[in-house]
């Protein structure tokens, strides 16, 4: 072991969490996987590990793959739309464009359409630029097979990935206009903030009230959102940073709702509304992911 910064697990914990979160779409499951990784790391003779970072990434990837295959079976029975668990991040995550995009709700939603091995290969190669042979060791494939999997996954994601605006000042301004319109029930203000073909997806998990199918089009989405001021006049709406971008946290009638956005050309093209309380338990704590970690 040749790490100079003390325990390699501590030095690379942020990396391990991010790998697990991008593979699983769940902060709670990612934390469990990181804990499992620590248990395995603490049980080995660390002095014999030549490349601790690669070793730890290999462990976390294998544990995340095992968890992902189990979760895939559960998600087949999920009630309504399944969305990734929102992740509190610090504002500086947005400064790292590649990291912010990789943990965005838009990207995580696309990654859900990949198989477990494809998802692992895509995350390790496209996000973290790991060598093919190192990825192969983690997923149990040879380097040539990993190259082919990476190409298929890359093409699959490219065909489905929404275009993302990276001007964070503009993103924040659009979200703030959206906030004002929702607070006041301003239908026209909402229409002005939404793209004509905007798509709203909501995840209540069969626990909280939520539409179970995507809602498309500026007018129906705006009409739905404009009812908030009447439904919950004392509701509290806060601008927060979720998944590397400005987002909205709503507290109304004793319930919590997280709203994340996809923006194109200065307009809101996607809304990801998470109301399942099991996915929101960590949102009152400090940010889970920071740029430096």
């Amino acid at each position: 072991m040749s790490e100079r910064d003390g325990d390699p697990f501590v030095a690379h914990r942020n990396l391990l969490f991010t790998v697990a979160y991008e593979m699983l779409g769940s902060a709670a499951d990612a934390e469990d996987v990181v804990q499992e990784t620590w248990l395995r790391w603490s049980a080995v003779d660390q002095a014999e590990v030549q490349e601790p970072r690669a070793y730890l990434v290999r462990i976390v990837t294998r544990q995340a793959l095992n968890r992902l295959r189990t979760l895939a079976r559960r998600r087949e029975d999920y009630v309504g739309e399944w969305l990734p668990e929102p992740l509190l991040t610090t504002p500086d995550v947005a400064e790292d464009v590649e990291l912010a995009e990789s943990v965005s709700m838009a990207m995580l939603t696309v990654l859900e359409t990949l198989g477990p091995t494809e998802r692992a290969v895509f995350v390790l190669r496209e996000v973290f630029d790991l060598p093919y042979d190192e990825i192969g060791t983690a997923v149990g494939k040879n380097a040539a097979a990993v190259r082919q999997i990476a190409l298929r996954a890359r093409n699959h994601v490219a065909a489905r990935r929404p275009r993302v605006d990276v001007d964070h000042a503009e993103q924040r301004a659009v979200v703030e206009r959206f906030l004002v319109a929702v607070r006041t029930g301003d239908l026209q203000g909402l229409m002005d903030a939404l793209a004509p073909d905007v798509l709203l997806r909501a995840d209540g998990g069969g626990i909280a009230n939520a539409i179970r199918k995507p809602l498309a089009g500026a007018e129906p989405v705006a009409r739905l959102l404009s009812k908030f001021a009447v439904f919950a006049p004392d509701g509290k709406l806060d601008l927060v940073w979720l998944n590397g971008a400005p987002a909205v946290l709503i507290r109304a009638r004793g319930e919590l709702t997280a709203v994340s956005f996809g923006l194109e050309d200065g307009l809101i093209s996607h809304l990801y509304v998470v109301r399942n309380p099991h996915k929101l338990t960590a949102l009152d704590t400090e940010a889970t992911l920071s740029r430096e970690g």
Side-chain angles (χ1 to χ4, degrees):
M1 185 172 66
S2 59
E3 298 283 338
R4 297 180 179 179
D5 298 325
D7 186 347
F9 178 85
V10 175
H12 299 304
R13 192 186 191 287
N14 202 45
L15 166 67
L16 301 177
F17 174 84
T18 307
V19 169
Y21 178 68
E22 293 190 23
M23 286 183 61
L24 298 169
S26 164
D29 287 310
E31 287 288 1
D32 287 345
V33 164
V34 170
Q35 180 67 15
E36 291 165 5
T37 300
W38 179 81
L39 290 173
R40 282 161 175 75
W41 170 250
S42 64
V44 302
D45 183 354
Q46 297 169 16
E48 297 298 316
V49 179
Q50 296 300 312
E51 298 182 6
R53 180 180 183 272
Y55 184 87
L56 287 165
V57 168
R58 185 162 65 246
I59 296 175
V60 82
T61 299
R62 289 174 176 173
Q63 295 304 312
L65 276 171
N66 291 338
R67 182 68 63 98
L68 188 58
R69 289 172 179 132
T70 300
L71 292 174
R73 291 190 287 272
R74 292 182 195 168
R75 289 173 190 172
E76 291 177 359
D77 300 323
Y78 197 79
V79 178
E81 289 277 305
W82 187 96
L83 291 175
E85 180 182 338
L87 180 69
L88 272 174
T89 55
T90 55
D92 64 352
V93 169
E95 297 171 10
D96 186 330
V97 175
E98 291 185 0
L99 176 60
E101 183 181 5
S102 72
V103 299
S104 70
M105 293 292 279
M107 176 60 78
L108 292 172
T109 302
V110 172
L111 292 183
E112 281 296 311
T113 64
L114 291 171
T117 301
E118 288 179 317
R119 184 166 183 169
V121 169
F122 181 88
V123 168
L124 295 177
R125 180 62 186 175
E126 298 300 314
V127 180
F128 298 103
D129 199 28
L130 266 62
Y132 290 113
D133 57 345
E134 191 173 320
I135 298 172
T137 303
V139 301
K141 305 283 185 182
N142 61 45
V146 169
R147 284 180 182 272
Q148 292 301 314
I149 294 170
L151 178 61
R152 289 199 306 269
R154 189 183 307 122
N155 291 338
H156 179 96
V157 171
R160 293 162 177 80
R161 173 191 291 174
R163 186 165 59 83
V164 178
D165 286 346
V166 295
D167 185 326
H168 303 299
E170 182 180 19
Q171 286 183 353
R172 179 164 185 147
V174 172
V175 173
E176 287 176 341
R177 289 199 301 271
F178 170 86
L179 268 176
V180 171
V182 170
R183 285 188 181 117
T184 59
D186 181 356
L187 181 61
Q188 187 58 53
L190 285 165
M191 292 281 289
D192 291 342
L194 301 174
D197 58 350
V198 62
L199 185 69
L200 184 151
R201 299 176 61 187
D203 177 349
I207 302 169
N209 289 330
I211 58 172
R212 294 191 178 182
K213 293 182 179 180
L215 184 63
E219 184 171 351
V221 170
R223 290 193 181 282
L224 175 65
L225 296 172
S226 68
K227 296 176 182 178
F228 175 81
V230 175
F231 172 75
D234 298 324
K236 184 180 180 184
L237 294 85
D238 295 311
L239 191 147
V240 296
W241 288 86
L242 297 177
N243 299 79
V248 175
L249 201 57
I250 302 172
R251 293 176 175 84
R253 297 191 172 185
E255 296 181 336
L256 196 62
T257 302
V259 184
S260 299
F261 305 91
L263 275 70
E264 294 183 21
D265 300 323
L267 296 173
I268 296 170
S269 59
H270 293 78
L271 293 100
Y272 306 93
V273 182
V274 178
R275 304 203 70 238
N276 183 343
H278 296 321
K279 296 185 178 184
L280 302 172
T281 55
L283 293 190
D284 282 326
T285 63
E286 64 182 29
T288 302
L289 179 64
S290 62
R291 188 179 180 186
E292 297 300 325

